[in-house]
Amino acid sequence: MARDRAKACELDQEKYDADENVKIICLGDSAVGKSKLMERFLMDGFQPQQLSTYALTLYKHTATVDGRTVLVDFWDTAGQERFQSMHASYYHKAHACIMVFDVQRKVTYKNLSTWYTELREFRPEIPCIVVANKIDADVKVTQKSFNFAKKFSLPLYFVSAADGTNVVKLFNDAIRLAVSYKHNSRDFMDEVLQELENFELEQKEDDGPGQGQQEGTKSLAAS
Amino acid sequence: MMCTAKKCGIRFQPPAIILIYDGEVKGKSRQRIMPVRNFSKFSDCNRAAEQLKNNPRHKSYLEQVSLRQLEKLFCFLRGYLQGQSLTETMEQIQQERTIDPEEDLNKLDDKELAKRKSIMDELFEKNQKKKDDPNFVYDIEVEFPEDEQLQSCGWDTESADEF
């Protein structure tokens, strides 16, 4: 198991350390519209890359934030959510998270807490946006309060992948949050691991446990 | 062959799918009667629809008629053969095409999940604003005021531990 995990991390995730790269992950139940949101944002520009070995879909996008070019990788689940849990490498080095539920299906809202718990296990500090999708089906939901977002002080966006309401705003804001997290992060574990990684690299490449692992090491060891 | 489909319906006795369309001569509607053969109250409507749509003699006429519509027409015929009233059949079709909001789709197999997705896609396509629509806007921002007056979504539990 630990071996598998280390292997999956080799999916060139090193690049996410580079200044201009950010990784944004999508979470949420089956059929809440994660891919449809991606496609609405990227329109024709989307060129998803299926990585079936890892059960994930990658969407690449180039954005400009404050005059600087940012290379964004959006990670989409490709059915992995069916296991009610994502592979650890999915969370590895992510800079922001877009967490989606379907306003027509209560169960997808209830499951947010499972997704959120898992996210925080691996990425305790990254910005996370809660997304209420499919408001075109019933626009009255936008008049309602959803306590989940409030409870964890997360921003809540009402969107529709079908008619496009707030989709572009959602993604642009997510990119901004990811960039700003990356540049201002005072995430203690991130820093410690960064130090550790540099240190180990100086010594020599070693395949020992913990090397190249994410800041979730502590919880991983516990699980 | 140029053919613009106008209407498509079903005749119960003798059973036939009937298409009203505009042919090559402009402004002149034509009618095509496609007899339904070997169909009983036990038949599979989806399959029957697929067979008709791929029938070499009718194929070109039915290009603009969706598989979903044909399937629905066959469901009406099957309901009739089963002795149901039109309203009963309509309710039945409605029910089969509705998502149970309580159902956890994470637990379904690929086939069942695909079925649910196709039901949801119907609404998606109905509400979809496509890039080539004349009034398409890429970036639509709508503010939904967040004030104290908001009603609860009803999905949150009262207890402090849960949300």
Side-chain angles (χ1 to χ4, degrees):
Chain A
M1 182 64 201
R3 225 192 145 79
D4 284 345
R5 196 175 282 136
K7 215 170 163 189
C9 289
E10 284 164 18
L11 174 76
D12 186 26
Q13 297 220 49
E14 295 302 314
K15 68 172 178 189
Y16 297 124
D17 293 331
D19 242 10
E20 64 280 9
N21 278 289
V22 294
K23 168 178 172 181
I24 299 176
I25 55 175
C26 296
L27 285 181
D29 277 12
S30 298
V32 293
K34 297 183 292 291
S35 309
K36 284 223 162 53
L37 285 167
M38 285 302 335
E39 284 159 22
R40 176 57 178 78
F41 173 63
L42 300 172
M43 302 300 296
D44 292 342
F46 86 91
Q47 23 167 273
Q49 197 184 338
Q50 293 285 353
L51 298 169
S52 54
T53 9
Y54 303 109
L56 78 95
T57 309
L58 269 184
Y59 297 84
K60 292 179 183 299
H61 174 64
T62 309
T64 310
V65 175
D66 299 330
R68 285 170 66 179
T69 303
V70 183
L71 305 174
V72 189
D73 275 6
F74 290 104
W75 286 49
D76 190 8
T77 55
Q80 220 186 125
E81 69 272 32
R82 309 261 284 281
F83 304 105
Q84 297 267 21
S85 162
M86 302 299 294
H87 195 280
S89 60
Y90 193 77
Y91 297 99
H92 189 53
K93 294 187 192 217
H95 301 106
C97 172
I98 293 172
M99 212 165 65
V100 190
F101 73 99
D102 173 350
V103 295
Q104 299 229 283
R105 292 189 292 130
K106 178 180 174 180
V107 60
T108 68
Y109 176 69
K110 285 305 202 185
N111 281 340
L112 289 180
S113 66
T114 317
W115 290 119
Y116 193 66
T117 309
E118 188 170 274
L119 170 71
R120 286 311 180 214
E121 214 173 282
F122 294 106
R123 302 298 284 156
E125 303 283 343
I126 63 167
C128 175
I129 298 177
V130 180
V131 178
N133 188 26
K134 308 195 189 177
I135 58 164
D136 55 283
D138 175 18
V139 88
K140 272 182 275 167
V141 299
T142 59
Q143 308 289 309
K144 293 185 174 157
S145 72
F146 292 86
N147 278 345
F148 177 82
K150 226 172 272 164
K151 186 182 164 189
F152 297 102
S153 313
L154 303 172
L156 172 69
Y157 284 53
F158 286 109
V159 312
S160 160
D163 68 25
T165 305
N166 291 335
V167 175
V168 176
K169 181 178 167 51
L170 161 70
F171 282 100
N172 284 337
D173 289 358
I175 294 168
R176 254 172 200 288
L177 286 171
V179 170
S180 106
Y181 168 81
K182 183 163 193 169
H183 293 150
N184 307 316
S185 162
R186 284 279 151 264
D187 193 318
F188 177 68
M189 287 308 277
D190 268 2
E191 286 183 7
V192 170
L193 274 147
Q194 188 65 49
E195 287 298 310
L196 209 63
E197 248 169 58
N198 291 343
F199 180 68
E200 280 181 9
L201 281 175
E202 275 167 31
Q203 284 202 316
K204 86 177 167 91
E205 297 272 326
D206 183 17
D207 256 335
Q211 198 262 335
Q213 287 287 359
Q214 57 268 48
E215 53 291 343
T217 312
K218 227 167 106 189
S219 36
L220 277 179
S223 65
Chain B
M1 205 232 19
M2 284 293 290
C3 155
T4 313
K6 291 282 174 198
K7 278 184 200 172
C8 190
I10 188 143
R11 184 180 71 196
F12 290 159
Q13 205 45 264
I17 298 277
I18 299 176
L19 176 76
I20 312 280
Y21 66 96
D22 280 349
E24 272 150 346
V25 184
K26 278 239 163 78
K28 199 164 175 229
S29 281
R30 296 182 55 96
Q31 176 177 285
R32 183 173 181 85
I33 299 175
M34 294 162 269
V36 176
R37 298 195 177 91
N38 304 321
F39 189 87
S40 79
K41 61 179 174 184
F42 304 113
S43 294
D44 182 332
C45 296
N46 180 271
R47 206 152 158 195
E50 260 174 23
Q51 271 168 5
L52 185 70
K53 212 169 156 50
N54 293 322
N55 182 309
R57 288 181 50 226
H58 305 310
K59 211 175 165 178
S60 59
Y61 293 89
L62 291 172
E63 250 167 40
Q64 295 171 325
V65 185
S66 73
L67 189 68
R68 174 74 201 122
Q69 185 181 354
L70 290 174
E71 187 185 342
K72 220 160 151 181
L73 293 174
F74 279 108
C75 287
F76 278 115
L77 176 61
R78 194 177 61 182
Y80 166 81
L81 293 172
Q82 285 170 347
Q84 287 176 348
S85 76
L86 217 51
T87 343
E88 279 172 332
T89 309
M90 260 155 90
E91 268 169 22
Q92 197 184 356
I93 292 173
Q94 190 63 35
Q95 209 169 29
E96 273 169 23
R97 300 296 295 178
T98 315
I99 295 285
D100 170 6
E102 302 286 329
E103 187 177 40
D104 190 340
L105 303 188
N106 293 332
K107 300 202 165 87
L108 299 179
D109 60 37
D110 285 346
K111 200 179 153 212
E112 286 301 307
L113 180 64
K115 216 162 149 190
R116 305 298 189 287
K117 280 191 174 178
S118 92
I119 298 173
M120 293 186 208
D121 280 349
E122 239 175 87
L123 183 71
F124 179 85
E125 277 157 27
K126 204 179 119 212
N127 292 343
Q128 189 180 19
K129 295 251 178 3
K130 289 203 188 98
K131 205 188 66 177
D132 31 0
D133 288 347
N135 50 0
F136 175 83
V137 182
Y138 174 61
D139 185 1
I140 310 165
E141 289 186 22
V142 183
E143 288 233 20
F144 298 104
E146 241 186 277
D147 48 49
E148 302 299 304
Q149 309 302 313
L150 289 181
Q151 230 190 325
S152 160
C153 64
W155 292 349
D156 298 303
T157 37
E158 295 301 313
S159 94
D161 280 348
E162 277 182 280
F163 60 89

